[in-house]
Amino acid sequence: MTLNKCDCSLDNHRKENNNILKSANLKATKKRMILLNCLRHSDAPLNAEEIYNILKQDININLSTVYRALSALTDADILVKQILSDGNNVYQINNKNHRHIITCKICNKISYVNICPINDVIDSVSKDTGYEITGHNLEFIGICPNCIEKIEEN
Amino acid sequence: MTLNKCDCSLDNHRKENNNILKSANLKATKKRMILLNCLRHSDAPLNAEEIYNILKQDININLSTVYRALSALTDADILVKQILSDGNNVYQINNKNHRHIITCKICNKISYVNICPINDVIDSVSKDTGYEITGHNLEFIGICPNCIEKIEEN
DNA sequence: GTCTTTGCAAAGCTTTTGCATTCTG
DNA sequence: CAGAATGCAAAAGCTTTGCAAAGAC
């Protein structure tokens, strides 16, 4: 993932981040605001360590602070956490339409998917199981374009 | 999960288990065969520790043996492993139509779902992302009938 | 000034691994 | 008998936690 320093800067989305945090009764600290910008501008969901490594380039921050921020933001529904089939926990901003994920089983690259077939079956699943459905996790697994190319070269 | 001792017994599905293991070039050990029966008769997918606790009632077995057996059987596509949103790794027998899972976000009960909407969108996802799709993981999250009842009582 | 957040180090939990022993075919 | 599987104990990897210091409002 390539991310420009300026993308994460405190001043980006400053008011918006401030409001989001305040409405969740969370202090609008510099570190949380920069963390939000980091996820805002990422083209894939990130895990705690990736976020830590990106933020470290700009500010002093501790890995456990990242973990604590991520879990506070997730509890407040500001972020969505997803655990992937390889055990990797990744986070994305919870805008109306957070997206599903596809992972490459060769290089582990993660990309977003813009399709969600779930809404169509919520009612049937509810009837089938008796559960009230409140959410879902969907991960596709496959081979990314790069890896397909490499395979075809051989 | 309630499971009768006799369900897991070595003699159940003996020939079948033996063949399955042999075709995967795995030794047909007593412990693996009983482990398979344990999953065969479970009405929900189980994690390593649950399997360990069930098997321990009948035989001497070590938790790391359970882990090693599960990963050998998963590599051989005899089992399917799924990691749930709470980080719990569960396993089920990989019969033609292994099933998706729904977890109760209150009591963490896991049940099977008999519906899969994924096949219909594989092509679109592939076009959208450029990936070749080889699999998927789907977990529904909700509130189970028991917990709904408890909520309504209050 | 009070309550929340953060840093640091230590602990926790699940899963994996090394090595000697036992078992399968 | 040769190679695979197992038990045991230790290590690994990721995440959480306790406590004192720093920061937000």
Side-chain angles (χ1 to χ4, degrees):
Chain A
M1 221 244 343
T2 49
L3 210 65
N4 294 324
K5 259 196 167 191
C6 57
D7 288 338
C8 287
S9 97
L10 182 57
D11 288 329
N12 263 19
H13 309 276
R14 184 160 201 160
K15 274 203 181 140
E16 202 179 340
N17 287 340
N18 192 72
N19 290 342
I20 289 175
L21 289 164
K22 290 290 168 57
S23 344
N25 281 316
L26 295 170
K27 305 277 181 197
T29 66
K30 188 179 166 188
K31 299 181 189 200
R32 284 172 177 168
M33 307 236 270
I34 293 178
L35 187 156
L36 282 174
N37 285 343
C38 168
L39 284 174
R40 256 182 222 296
H41 293 97
S42 169
D43 55 5
L46 302 174
N47 68 26
E49 200 165 353
E50 289 167 334
I51 294 170
Y52 170 64
N53 286 324
I54 292 167
L55 298 192
K56 233 179 19 179
Q57 296 171 11
D58 290 344
I59 55 173
N60 283 326
I61 191 164
N62 191 277
L63 181 55
S64 55
T65 303
V66 174
Y67 274 107
R68 274 192 273 227
L70 288 172
S71 90
L73 295 174
T74 304
D75 288 348
D77 286 325
I78 297 169
L79 299 182
V80 178
K81 173 183 180 173
Q82 184 170 8
I83 182 164
L84 305 185
S85 52
D86 62 0
N88 192 12
N89 278 300
V90 293
Y91 295 83
Q92 56 182 301
I93 299 265
N94 184 19
N95 40 28
K96 319 96 215 150
N97 46 348
H98 68 270
R99 285 172 292 173
H100 292 300
I101 288 170
I102 181 162
T103 42
C104 175
K105 65 178 182 179
I106 295 175
C107 70
N108 286 320
K109 179 186 162 130
I110 305 175
S111 308
Y112 280 123
V113 171
N114 293 306
I115 291 162
C116 177
I118 303 300
N119 290 330
D120 298 342
V121 295
I122 296 260
D123 287 348
S124 338
V125 173
S126 185
K127 254 181 220 152
D128 178 41
T129 60
Y131 281 58
E132 183 187 324
I133 315 292
T134 62
H136 61 268
N137 265 306
L138 173 57
E139 175 194 7
F140 291 93
I141 295 149
I143 305 176
C144 75
N146 268 347
C147 288
I148 294 176
E149 207 172 304
K150 275 184 205 154
I151 292 169
E152 281 170 357
E153 277 169 12
N154 301 328
Chain B
M1 224 248 338
T2 48
L3 210 63
N4 295 324
K5 258 194 170 194
C6 57
D7 289 339
C8 286
S9 96
L10 181 58
D11 288 330
N12 264 19
H13 308 277
R14 185 160 200 162
K15 272 204 184 142
E16 203 179 338
N17 289 339
N18 193 73
N19 290 342
I20 289 176
L21 290 164
K22 290 289 169 57
S23 343
N25 280 317
L26 296 169
K27 305 275 182 196
T29 66
K30 188 179 165 186
K31 298 180 189 200
R32 285 174 177 166
M33 307 234 270
I34 293 178
L35 187 156
L36 283 175
N37 285 342
C38 168
L39 284 174
R40 256 181 222 296
H41 293 96
S42 169
D43 55 4
L46 301 174
N47 67 25
E49 200 165 353
E50 289 166 334
I51 294 169
Y52 171 63
N53 286 326
I54 293 168
L55 297 193
K56 233 181 17 182
Q57 296 170 11
D58 290 344
I59 55 172
N60 282 326
I61 191 165
N62 191 277
L63 182 54
S64 55
T65 302
V66 173
Y67 274 107
R68 274 192 273 226
L70 289 173
S71 89
L73 295 174
T74 304
D75 288 346
D77 287 325
I78 297 168
L79 299 182
V80 178
K81 173 182 180 173
Q82 183 168 9
I83 183 163
L84 304 185
S85 52
D86 61 0
N88 192 11
N89 277 301
V90 293
Y91 295 83
Q92 58 182 299
I93 298 265
N94 184 19
N95 41 28
K96 319 95 215 150
N97 45 348
H98 67 271
R99 286 172 291 173
H100 291 300
I101 287 170
I102 182 162
T103 42
C104 176
K105 64 177 184 179
I106 296 175
C107 70
N108 287 321
K109 178 187 160 127
I110 305 175
S111 307
Y112 281 123
V113 170
N114 293 305
I115 291 162
C116 176
I118 302 300
N119 291 330
D120 298 342
V121 295
I122 296 259
D123 287 348
S124 340
V125 173
S126 185
K127 255 181 220 153
D128 179 41
T129 59
Y131 281 58
E132 182 187 326
I133 315 293
T134 61
H136 61 268
N137 265 306
L138 173 58
E139 175 193 7
F140 291 94
I141 294 149
I143 305 176
C144 75
N146 267 347
C147 289
I148 293 175
E149 207 173 301
K150 276 184 204 154
I151 292 170
E152 282 169 357
E153 277 169 12
N154 300 328

